[in-house]
Structures are given as structure tokens and as C-alpha cells.
Amino acid sequence: MTISRSYQSIVFLFVSRLSAAALFTPSLALSTSVTHHCNSIRSSSQLRLFGSSRFRKKDKQLDHQMESAADAATQKMAQLDLSLIKKFAHKNGDALFGYIEECQVDDPNNKGSFGRFLDAGTGSHSLRWMASILHREHLLANTSNGALSSPNISMDSFTAITADENMRRRVFNEAKELGIADKGDAIIGNWKEGVGKDGTVEFGASDTSDGSKLLLEGQQFDTILADYLVGAIDGFSPYFQDLIFNRLVPHLAPGGRLYVIGLQPIPDSVNSPANIMCKIRRVRDACILLANHRCYREYPLDWIERHLRKSGLNVVQSRTYPIRYDHATMVRQINVGRSKLKLFPTKGMAAEMGKVLDDLEKESLEVTRKQADGRITLGYDYVVVAERPVDSD
């Protein structure tokens, strides 16, 4: 028996809307009915679907259930506060992540999807960007950016790694608030575990006390993000920076991409008004060390590219983004130093360092007031695109 085109359209619309609803209602009790209904259509040569009032009644019931499920998904979406991720729906909302999206769309191996996604050093900013990918269709449908809209790119699932328990809890709670908790996991772990003294990754020979598997052992991802990860390593696993890519490569599927975001190190001094930022960096780091904490240690672009190649990856391309500092940006760095004063060895030392920080704030205000747009330029952020060869083991 031939199924009419109009009935096929109804079924297609029903299944499509249910799939969209399932994004926010994974455990729909309706799923069994849908499977049975679709099986009935596939075996329609033995059934008189359109001559039976019983089937027409069932179709109406399913249509009603479909509409109810779609309404529930819409209501749940309306309850989410997506104001923190709306900017990612605009091409100019975030330059670095916008470039990553552009590269992924242009990659013939992935065709506009990040697939299974690993955020190797997660934080609130990268999590919000991932949420914008998972909600991209909704964001594009509810914004009016026109030609400046971000691409309609997708992600199957995410895994977010951090070595800090407080960050893991923060990411987990924010994932729930953004409606993506059912799409991934936030895991605490340290990439240094399982790496031998010669730099080889020792899967199956864990050095953990309980004999458990290494972090993400046996798992691979289509895309990996290292968002300022290399610079942060010194705070958790000093002297491991040269091995981080060796540790990540086994988790990257052949043909998959690793995106590295980093900061070109701020120099000790420059012969320009931007030298104020060099001074702030030096004093800020001194405060961190006097508080008995470890500083982040950034690595230059050429260092990153060399070590990506040493790990067996191909460097596809890279891009730099000059950093513009206004007074408020510099004060945030000064405040990092201030936050450490209470941990200084003596109150006298803290008081004197507080004066130094106050003087830097005044000087930064004077410098920025003399600039035409109130900002100085120093250094740059960078994004490196690396790819694992398709024929690699």
C-alpha cells in the first residue's frame, strides 16, 4: 500500500518536533509510542492505515501528545536565563571563540560539528561558550543579528576537566542553570597522573593509590579545547607544560582537532606608555609569591607550535589578537595583588605593598587618560589550530 505524501509529512513533522523536545526532556514517556507508531508506518503494506477510524483516532492522540511535548520543551527553554551566552550568537561576540567556530565550519572532516567535545581545562567562560553551541538554534532564532549571526554549529556532548574542586562545583552548578547538565560531565582530575618520567603515557599502569584508571582512560573526543590551560598548569602541576600535549593526544580521535588558546607572555618592560602594564604584572606576581601561592606561567606562540608538532599533531593555522588595556582592566590585575595582602608574612610588609599597588592604580589612570581612546596596547592572545592525522594510531 502506498502511504500518502501528506501523511508522511505529518509523521516527519511529529518526529522532528519530538527530537527537538527531547533536548530538554530526555525521558519522555512518549518515546515508546513514537517507536510503535513509526514501526506501524514501515509495515503499512499489511495494514489499512487510512481506512480505519481507530488509526485516525490514534493519530489525533499522538498529535496531541506531540504538541504537549513541544510546549513543555518551549516552556522549559523559556525558564532558562541565557543572557550570559547571547553574545556568542553574534560573530563579534567573542573574537577567539568566533575564530574557532569559523575554523570548525571550514574543516571538511567535521562539517560544522564539534562532535564529542573535551574542555581540557574548564572555566565559566568556556562553559558558557559550550552552552551557546548546545543552544545555538534557539539563540539564532531569538536574535536579530542578520549577516553578523554566528554559524549554526553543533556539539554532541561535552566533558569538562578541572584540577580544582571549587571550580568543578561552580561549573556543574552553572551547567544546570544553563540547561546543559544532561549533555555532559564536569570532572576533577590532573593530567599529570600516569605520565612517565620519559614523557610516555602509561595507560593500564595507573600510579593512583586506589589502582583506578587514569583520567579519561580509553575515551576519545572529536574536538579538544585547551583554553589558557598551558599557562595555568604551573599552579597545579609545575614543570609539566612540555608534556601536556602528549597527554592529550591519545584522547583526540584521528582527524580531530585541538584548539589551543593562550596569552603571549607580558615582557618585563617596554619603551612605551604600555610599560605600566609590565609594572603591574611584576608587582601582581610578587604579591602572589609572597602569599605563598604559585603564579600562572604563560608560554609564547612559537613554543606552543613546536610542542604541538613534537606530540605528533599537524599545526593547521594560528591567529593573534592584540590586547587593549583600559584603566578598569588594569585595576582588576592590581586587585589580584591586593587580594593576597592578608596572606603576607607580616602586616608591615602588606601595608607597604598596599601603597605600591595604590601608586600603580594612580599611574595607570594617568596613562590611560593621555590615550585617545583611553587604552594601551600590549601583547596578544593567540589561537592555534592543530589536527591529528587521520592515519595516526
Side-chain angles (χ1 to χ4, degrees):
M1 168 181 167
T2 302
I3 302 175
S4 71
R5 187 176 300 275
S6 61
Y7 191 81
Q8 288 177 320
S9 300
I10 291 172
V11 174
F12 175 78
L13 177 63
F14 169 69
V15 174
S16 298
R17 288 189 181 178
L18 184 63
S19 297
L23 177 62
F24 306 101
T25 316
S27 57
L28 288 173
L30 182 58
S31 59
T32 303
S33 299
V34 176
T35 304
H36 174 73
H37 187 60
C38 293
N39 287 338
S40 297
I41 295 170
R42 283 195 292 269
S43 60
S44 59
S45 59
Q46 286 82 34
L47 296 175
R48 300 286 299 175
L49 291 181
F50 302 103
S52 168
S53 61
R54 179 167 62 88
F55 281 108
R56 286 198 298 271
K57 182 178 180 180
K58 185 176 181 180
D59 293 338
K60 290 180 180 179
Q61 291 175 340
L62 289 173
D63 285 343
H64 176 70
Q65 290 175 312
M66 178 269 289
E67 291 174 1
S68 298
D71 290 342
T74 301
Q75 291 175 5
K76 189 167 185 178
M77 194 69 181
Q79 294 172 357
L80 298 176
D81 180 9
L82 302 182
S83 59
L84 293 174
I85 66 174
K86 285 179 63 177
K87 72 170 188 176
F88 295 109
H90 193 288
K91 279 187 176 180
N92 299 326
D94 187 286
L96 279 67
F97 282 125
Y99 174 62
I100 289 175
E101 292 181 19
E102 175 188 321
C103 291
Q104 196 72 7
V105 168
D106 293 340
D107 179 16
N109 293 328
N110 297 289
K111 300 179 181 179
S113 173
F114 289 104
R116 299 159 298 172
F117 191 89
L118 171 62
D119 184 357
T122 196
S124 291
H125 189 63
S126 59
L127 180 78
R128 291 170 185 173
W129 172 67
M130 289 188 291
S132 81
I133 300 294
L134 293 165
H135 292 318
R136 184 57 55 91
E137 286 192 1
H138 174 82
L139 291 175
L140 293 178
N142 289 274
T143 54
S144 54
N145 297 325
L148 293 176
S149 294
S150 297
N152 189 6
I153 199 165
S154 64
M155 181 182 296
D156 296 341
S157 62
F158 73 89
T159 298
I161 305 295
T162 178
D164 182 69
E165 176 59 25
N166 291 329
M167 177 60 72
R168 189 199 67 80
R169 285 197 297 267
R170 187 187 311 167
V171 166
F172 177 75
N173 290 334
E174 190 161 5
K176 290 195 295 184
E177 293 172 2
L178 292 171
I180 61 170
D182 62 330
K183 288 293 181 180
D185 299 297
I187 300 173
I188 188 165
N190 193 318
W191 291 115
K192 189 175 182 179
E193 293 178 356
V195 179
K197 293 181 180 180
D198 60 352
T200 58
V201 182
E202 300 172 348
F203 289 120
S206 174
D207 60 0
T208 55
S209 59
D210 61 358
S212 60
K213 289 185 177 181
L214 298 182
L215 179 61
L216 299 185
E217 184 168 346
Q219 298 185 48
Q220 282 196 329
F221 301 84
D222 303 300
T223 313
I224 298 178
L225 172 67
D227 183 23
Y228 298 104
L229 172 63
V230 178
I233 285 176
D234 217 56
F236 300 96
S237 303
Y239 319 117
F240 181 66
Q241 292 90 335
D242 64 319
L243 298 175
I244 182 61
F245 299 134
N246 295 61
R247 181 64 178 84
L248 292 177
V249 165
H251 299 293
L252 185 61
R257 285 190 164 182
L258 168 61
Y259 291 98
V260 182
I261 299 177
L263 170 67
Q264 190 74 4
I266 296 175
D268 292 333
S269 63
V270 293
N271 188 24
S272 73
N275 190 54
I276 179 60
M277 193 60 210
C278 300
K279 293 166 68 175
I280 291 172
R281 194 270 302 169
R282 293 200 305 269
V283 175
R284 178 204 65 192
D285 288 357
C287 291
I288 293 172
L289 292 171
L290 286 169
N292 201 30
H293 293 167
R294 297 192 67 88
C295 302
Y296 282 6
R297 185 179 182 183
E298 306 297 342
Y299 284 77
L301 175 58
D302 59 336
W303 188 98
I304 295 292
E305 292 181 339
R306 283 197 309 273
H307 284 78
L308 285 169
R309 293 188 179 99
K310 285 182 179 179
S311 69
L313 299 178
N314 296 325
V315 175
V316 179
Q317 57 187 309
S318 62
R319 185 175 292 184
T320 61
Y321 297 84
I323 302 175
R324 304 278 285 153
Y325 295 93
D326 59 16
H327 181 243
T329 304
M330 287 187 270
V331 169
R332 282 197 292 272
Q333 296 303 311
I334 292 171
N335 286 338
V336 171
R338 287 181 174 135
S339 71
K340 306 297 180 181
L341 297 179
K342 60 183 178 291
L343 301 174
F344 273 30
T346 68
K347 291 183 178 180
M349 183 184 293
E352 292 303 313
M353 185 63 84
K355 295 177 184 178
V356 174
L357 292 167
D358 291 343
D359 290 343
L360 285 174
E361 182 170 349
K362 293 175 184 177
E363 184 179 351
S364 65
L365 180 60
E366 293 172 0
V367 169
T368 52
R369 279 179 172 174
K370 293 178 181 178
Q371 309 308 309
D373 62 353
R375 298 186 295 176
I376 56 102
T377 302
L378 180 67
Y380 54 84
D381 292 301
Y382 55 78
V383 179
V384 183
V385 185
E387 188 171 279
R388 186 172 183 182
V390 176
D391 57 355
S392 63
D393 295 330

